[in-house]
Amino acid sequence: MAKQSMIMREAKRAKTVAKYAEKRAALKKASVDMSLSFEERMDAMEKLAALPRNASPVRQRKRCRITGRPHGVYRKFGLSRNMLRELAMAGDVPGLRKASW
């Protein structure tokens, strides 16, 4: 299981991303809008750079919903490969079964 501090850090990042999402989108749109003057676009870029680093969605990491494991996480299920295998073997994931041929 992942350290609680890492799980809490990811939760904090998710809150920060949600908080600044609208503002980031507006500034990004203004920074590439060619109808604005060069100074206005540069001002938008400076304001975008002044936002907190954790406001960027790129800094978020997918983690397993059960264990918090950061690697080997399947997007479709939100589970790490280990937990997905355990739950599939137990029959807890609908429509998923082990392949055999």
Side-chain angles (χ1 to χ4, degrees):
M1 183 135 166
K3 291 176 16 179
Q4 286 299 312
S5 60
M6 294 297 171
I7 294 170
M8 296 309 295
R9 185 181 297 170
E10 285 300 321
K12 186 177 177 183
R13 278 191 186 133
K15 275 179 58 176
T16 307
V17 166
K19 180 180 177 183
Y20 288 100
E22 194 174 310
K23 189 173 187 178
R24 272 186 70 81
L27 288 172
K28 281 183 77 84
K29 187 175 180 183
S31 67
V32 295
D33 188 4
M34 296 307 283
S35 66
L36 297 176
S37 69
F38 179 74
E39 290 79 21
E40 290 172 326
R41 285 186 286 137
M42 289 305 291
D43 185 45
M45 285 184 204
E46 288 172 6
K47 287 180 182 175
L48 187 63
L51 291 178
R53 285 187 172 187
N54 285 336
S56 174
V58 172
R59 290 177 66 98
Q60 286 182 304
R61 182 156 191 101
K62 300 283 184 220
R63 287 186 173 267
C64 177
R65 293 181 187 168
I66 298 173
T67 61
R69 179 183 165 89
H71 295 287
V73 178
Y74 287 86
R75 288 182 191 171
K76 184 174 181 178
F77 303 103
L79 299 171
S80 66
R81 58 186 175 82
N82 304 333
M83 291 309 300
L84 183 63
R85 185 171 190 270
E86 283 182 24
L87 293 174
M89 292 296 192
D92 293 337
V93 182
L96 187 68
R97 64 179 181 181
K98 187 174 181 227
S100 62
W101 59 91

